[in-house]
């Protein structure tokens, strides 16, 4: 096993991406809670990302997706879920029905920088293509230079669209939309 600090990581050969199963919902909720607490601690109230509450939401999304074009995939290291991605038809009114959205992509902070994000992104684009989408979008919070660099290094570009969402603390979060063709 490779060691990074105090975290033991299985070798890359033990890493994979697969469709999420209902039994993965707890792990997906825990990964999202840890990843978002780390990434958004400045705008999230303590306890705002309750892992059990998130697991309930993911259990429904995994067991009963809203359409055949919705999917949740998990990244595993050994048998442990270490990340996930959810894809769906894009909901933005200015986009056509042939555009899919990467709704969320998160990797557990203890397993970042091990290639799981790249594997999840590749699987997400393959899943979107397989569902008939010819383009993809993702919304990123500003300023998240790390996440923006991750997606732009994979070929996504800003299309100029921005939106503002209410933050749990009463503030606002501005997001930037990136897009890519899935040719």
């Amino acid at each position: 096993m490779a060691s990074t600090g105090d975290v033991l990581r299985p070798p890359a050969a033990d890493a994979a991406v697969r469709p999420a199963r209902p039994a993965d919902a707890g792990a997906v909720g825990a990964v999202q809670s840890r990843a978002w607490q780390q990434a958004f601690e400045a705008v999230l109230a303590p306890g705002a990302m309750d892992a059990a509450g998130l697991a309930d939401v993911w259990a429904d999304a995994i067991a009963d997706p809203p359409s055949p074009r919705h999917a949740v995939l998990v990244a595993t290291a050994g048998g442990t879920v270490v990340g996930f991605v959810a894809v769906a038809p894009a909901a933005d009114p200015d986009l056509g029905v042939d555009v899919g959205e990467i709704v969320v992509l998160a990797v557990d902070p203890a397993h970042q920088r091990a290639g799981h994000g790249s594997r999840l992104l590749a699987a997400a684009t393959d899943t979107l293509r397989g569902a008939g989408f010819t383009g993809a979008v993702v919304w990123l919070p500003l300023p998240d230079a790390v996440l923006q660099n991750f997606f732009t290094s994979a070929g996504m570009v800003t299309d100029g669209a921005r939106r503002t969402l209410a933050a749990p603390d009463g503030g606002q979060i501005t997001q930037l939309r990136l897009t890519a063709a899935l040719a």
Side-chain angles (χ1 to χ4, degrees):
M1 294 249 247
S3 176
T4 303
D6 62 347
V7 176
L8 290 178
R9 294 188 179 157
D14 289 345
V17 175
R18 62 169 170 76
R21 302 174 188 136
D24 296 325
V28 169
V31 166
Q32 184 177 13
S33 177
R34 288 189 295 271
W36 283 24
Q37 281 292 346
Q38 179 191 48
F40 307 118
E41 66 185 335
V43 296
L44 290 175
M49 297 304 298
D50 173 61
L54 292 168
D56 289 342
V57 172
W58 288 113
D60 289 341
I62 293 166
D64 189 22
S67 83
R69 298 179 95 191
H70 287 74
V72 179
L73 308 169
V74 295
T76 59
T80 304
V81 172
V82 297
F84 73 100
V85 64
V87 297
D92 301 326
D94 64 324
L95 299 174
V97 297
D98 61 337
V99 178
E101 181 174 344
I102 299 167
V103 179
V104 60
L105 187 154
V107 175
D108 191 305
H111 294 274
Q112 291 176 353
R113 301 211 168 285
H116 300 296
S118 296
R119 280 187 284 282
L120 284 166
L121 181 57
T125 56
D126 287 346
T127 299
L128 290 169
R129 274 190 209 100
F133 294 110
T134 60
V137 297
V138 63
W139 285 97
L140 304 178
L142 293 175
D144 189 335
V146 173
L147 201 52
Q148 187 171 352
N149 183 55
F150 171 75
F151 282 105
T152 58
S153 69
M156 297 191 87
V157 297
T158 181
D159 68 1
R162 291 177 184 253
R163 67 183 180 190
T164 302
L165 305 174
D169 67 355
Q172 295 183 334
I173 299 170
T174 300
Q175 293 183 315
L176 173 71
R177 188 172 71 189
L178 301 181
T179 185
L182 297 177

